Amino acid sequence: MGTIKLLSVLAVISQAAALLTSPPKIVKQPTQEELLFQVALPGEVDKPFIIECEAEGEPAPKYRWIKNGKPFEYSSYDNRISQQPGRGTLVVSKPRDEDLGQYQCFAENEWGTATSNSVFVRKAELNSFKETDGQQIITAEEGKPFKLTCEPPDGHPSPKVYWMLQGDQGQLKTINNSRMTLDPEGNLWFSNVTRNDASGNYAYTCAAKSIFRNEYKLGNKVYLEVKPTGISPALNKHEPVRQYTTRRNERGLKGKRVELYCIYGGTPLPLIVWKKDGSPILSSQSITQDNYGKTLVIKSPRYEDQGTYTCEVSNGVGSAQSVTIPGQCRRKRVHATRIKHCATLQSSDVIHLSRTPISRSPTAPFFTVEPEIQNKAEGETAEIRCEAGGTPAPQITWIHNGVPIDQTPGNPRRRVSNDGKFIIITDLVKKDTGNYGCNATNSIGYVYKDIYVNVQYDLGANHIMIPTDHRQVDRPSNNVPGDHRLITCVIPLRNYNNQFCA
């Protein structure tokens, strides 16, 4: 009798398992940001890269790709592009320039088509500096501020620019001096020039580094001659003079590092004090100072960081100088901070400026209500909601099985709200099973999420309706007292009282 009962239960479970169909669900996909790759130079080893795409579903989904809006047949690329077995992930073993483009993956089975993020694949590169004729010799006056200008080469991503000292034999040495400061544009500022700054057996060289490529390029050598003043260095004094400060309109994004610059020259070396709303700023985990106090770093801007920032500069010569930088943050949900620089240089210890209203900074879309997977039975109603914020206000569009919903066959039981924030499907039937993607887009970017509606047959009260979960329970054995065994149960998500357990 026990054997017959067990076989009956197994038959029911087998029947339930046969009903466990589902549309594809993307579990790995490309980043929404651009994907970089490198093309090997002559003599270099190829540097493969992948474009991820993997999905779950029953039956197992098949994959296809589009590139720049057209079907992408990777097999026609002389075996240098392949697809991972059982997955949709593309493997580019020998990257070439022509691999640049916009890629998107589709995973499909008989119940629906899931759509991945669309990713722009771009080549990382770093060009060389422009060559100049002969060596460059520049003269600076002792004791006065000075600037070495750098014209960095083009590259993607933008290279990190810095200055180094290069010897006659090509040896390189870093610059670490409180009188020398690099601005964001790559220029090297001397707060004041000393005789020791003159080039002897070394030259100043601007360098550009590609972090992604782990490659750097050197510019032309610049030899610095220092013209002595004939005055004792102790008597050679100059009041503070502004060299570089943060630009008048500086946009910052919430959570993205912001740097405020206050570079002044003078002899002796000027002392800089940063204040917010008139109060000195103390270094903390979120706000620090760099470049010997010439840079204020807000590591992860928050709403509380809005205010008026002032750098006060003095060196005991002339009057103290100050620059005021009003900054405002919008509400947290906007995910943005904007720093506005209203810098007017005046001879006063403190400048009082009223806060200037500023428009909301443009921000990429972000979900405030994300669409969620819907597991339903026939006859029920599915409601898919999707809301997003951003500036400008994003437009919401829907994708159904990889196609814009307005281009799919009509369904009299399906309705999309006028504002696009939800879809309702009433009196569900099995053929309503499928994938739905919400795409929120504005001029800054987009955010996308693909989900599915999975409708299971209703076979009556004695049968499982939505067998979408398997669980193990600890149950005493009927044969051996005190013996406990783990037994697998198939459990419908809508009603945990209906469990198939032996």
Side-chain angles (χ1 to χ4, degrees):
M1 176 65 75
T3 301
I4 295 176
K5 179 180 179 181
L6 177 60
L7 291 175
S8 299
V9 170
L10 291 175
V12 173
I13 293 177
S14 177
Q15 182 182 15
L19 299 176
L20 285 173
T21 60
S22 71
K25 174 187 175 184
I26 298 286
V27 293
K28 288 185 179 180
Q29 60 182 325
T31 174
Q32 284 185 244
E33 301 175 358
E34 66 181 9
L35 178 63
L36 298 174
F37 68 90
Q38 298 184 53
V39 175
L41 299 175
E44 290 185 343
V45 177
D46 286 308
K47 301 174 177 62
F49 73 96
I50 64 173
I51 312 176
E52 282 196 315
C53 182
E54 186 176 345
E56 299 172 345
E58 185 58 42
K62 297 181 179 180
Y63 301 90
R64 60 182 174 88
W65 287 84
I66 62 172
K67 177 183 178 183
N68 299 329
K70 298 180 180 180
F72 179 61
E73 301 297 336
Y74 64 86
S75 57
S76 62
Y77 280 69
D78 299 329
N79 295 323
R80 68 179 187 86
I81 302 180
S82 60
Q83 184 174 301
Q84 291 181 347
R87 299 181 176 91
T89 298
L90 294 180
V91 179
V92 185
S93 58
K94 297 180 179 179
R96 298 290 182 266
D97 288 345
E98 58 265 28
D99 295 330
L100 178 144
Q102 196 83 28
Y103 291 77
Q104 193 168 29
C105 172
F106 298 85
E108 53 193 6
N109 64 14
E110 60 184 285
W111 298 110
T113 301
T115 309
S116 76
N117 291 328
S118 177
V119 62
F120 185 63
V121 177
R122 182 168 180 174
K123 174 186 174 182
E125 53 190 337
L126 177 62
N127 296 326
S128 298
F129 282 84
K130 295 180 180 178
E131 293 187 4
T132 58
D133 296 331
Q135 63 184 17
Q136 188 176 6
I137 301 176
I138 298 179
T139 301
E141 187 172 346
E142 181 184 8
K144 289 189 177 182
F146 187 70
K147 172 188 175 183
L148 282 178
T149 302
C150 178
E151 296 183 5
D154 294 330
H156 189 84
S158 297
K160 179 181 178 181
V161 181
Y162 52 97
W163 283 81
M164 303 189 74
L165 298 175
Q166 185 176 11
D168 294 336
Q169 305 301 318
Q171 65 272 30
L172 296 173
K173 184 169 64 173
T174 59
I175 296 176
N176 185 10
N177 192 308
S178 60
R179 294 181 297 102
M180 302 178 190
T181 308
L182 186 72
D183 71 23
E185 299 170 8
N187 302 309
L188 184 65
W189 296 91
F190 293 71
S191 296
N192 56 70
V193 176
T194 69
R195 299 173 188 179
N196 294 330
D197 297 330
S199 299
N201 55 358
Y202 62 85
Y204 292 87
T205 303
C206 184
K209 181 177 181 179
S210 170
I211 303 298
F212 182 83
R213 292 179 57 88
N214 193 27
E215 174 188 17
Y216 71 91
K217 300 287 181 68
L218 294 176
N220 295 294
K221 295 180 179 180
V222 178
Y223 291 88
L224 181 64
E225 294 182 348
V226 177
K227 179 181 179 181
T229 60
I231 304 174
S232 169
L235 300 177
N236 191 5
K237 297 183 179 181
H238 299 275
E239 65 180 350
V241 57
R242 185 170 65 177
Q243 294 179 305
Y244 182 93
T245 54
T246 297
R247 61 186 182 182
R248 291 183 175 273
N249 291 286
E250 180 74 9
R251 179 187 302 168
L253 298 178
K254 182 179 182 296
K256 300 291 186 180
R257 178 184 173 105
V258 170
E259 296 180 348
L260 304 179
Y261 282 82
C262 182
I263 304 176
Y264 271 72
T267 308
L269 183 66
L271 175 67
I272 296 176
V273 176
W274 286 93
K275 292 185 177 182
K276 177 188 174 187
D277 296 330
S279 299
I281 298 175
L282 301 178
S283 294
S284 64
Q285 291 185 345
S286 59
I287 299 181
T288 60
Q289 295 183 24
D290 201 358
N291 291 324
Y292 299 94
K294 300 169 191 174
T295 307
L296 186 70
V297 180
I298 306 174
K299 295 181 180 179
S300 183
R302 303 166 300 169
Y303 175 73
E304 293 80 5
D305 292 321
Q306 72 173 358
T308 300
Y309 291 84
T310 303
C311 67
E312 297 180 1
V313 185
S314 63
N315 69 347
V317 182
S319 302
Q321 308 285 321
S322 64
V323 172
T324 302
I325 308 170
Q328 287 189 339
C329 299
R330 290 292 171 178
R331 291 192 303 167
K332 288 184 179 180
R333 66 178 298 180
V334 179
H335 289 254
T337 303
R338 186 175 182 180
I339 305 298
K340 188 176 182 182
H341 177 206
C342 303
T344 54
L345 184 63
Q346 299 184 11
S347 298
S348 60
D349 292 332
V350 181
I351 301 175
H352 298 283
L353 290 179
S354 60
R355 295 183 183 177
T356 305
I358 57 177
S359 60
R360 290 172 58 170
S361 300
T363 56
F366 56 93
F367 283 126
T368 56
V369 177
E370 292 191 29
E372 301 293 342
I373 288 174
Q374 305 274 325
N375 286 295
K376 297 291 182 179
E378 288 187 315
E380 293 186 331
T381 296
E383 181 175 344
I384 314 169
R385 303 194 67 87
C386 180
E387 298 181 22
T391 306
Q395 180 182 3
I396 293 179
T397 56
W398 291 91
I399 305 297
H400 178 41
N401 289 333
V403 180
I405 198 168
D406 56 3
Q407 299 178 18
T408 61
N411 184 343
R413 293 173 290 102
R414 184 180 67 199
R415 180 173 68 88
V416 181
S417 64
N418 293 332
D419 56 10
K421 293 182 178 180
F422 63 86
I423 295 176
I424 291 181
I425 311 172
T426 60
D427 298 324
L428 288 166
V429 296
K430 182 62 179 176
K431 69 178 183 179
D432 291 325
T433 294
N435 289 81
Y436 289 85
C438 176
N439 188 37
T441 308
N442 66 11
S443 58
I444 306 301
Y446 81 97
V447 62
Y448 180 81
K449 185 176 181 180
D450 189 281
I451 59 97
Y452 62 71
V453 174
N454 192 17
V455 184
Q456 296 291 349
Y457 292 111
D458 187 350
L459 300 179
N462 295 326
H463 293 79
I464 190 167
M465 297 184 65
I466 313 177
T468 58
D469 198 6
H470 291 73
R471 300 195 175 187
Q472 287 187 322
V473 298
D474 188 10
R475 175 158 300 179
S477 171
N478 293 328
N479 299 324
V480 182
D483 183 20
H484 288 249
R485 299 182 180 179
L486 289 176
I487 302 174
T488 299
C489 305
V490 182
I491 305 173
L493 288 180
R494 293 192 308 114
N495 184 357
Y496 282 103
N497 293 323
N498 296 332
Q499 304 180 8
F500 290 91
C501 292

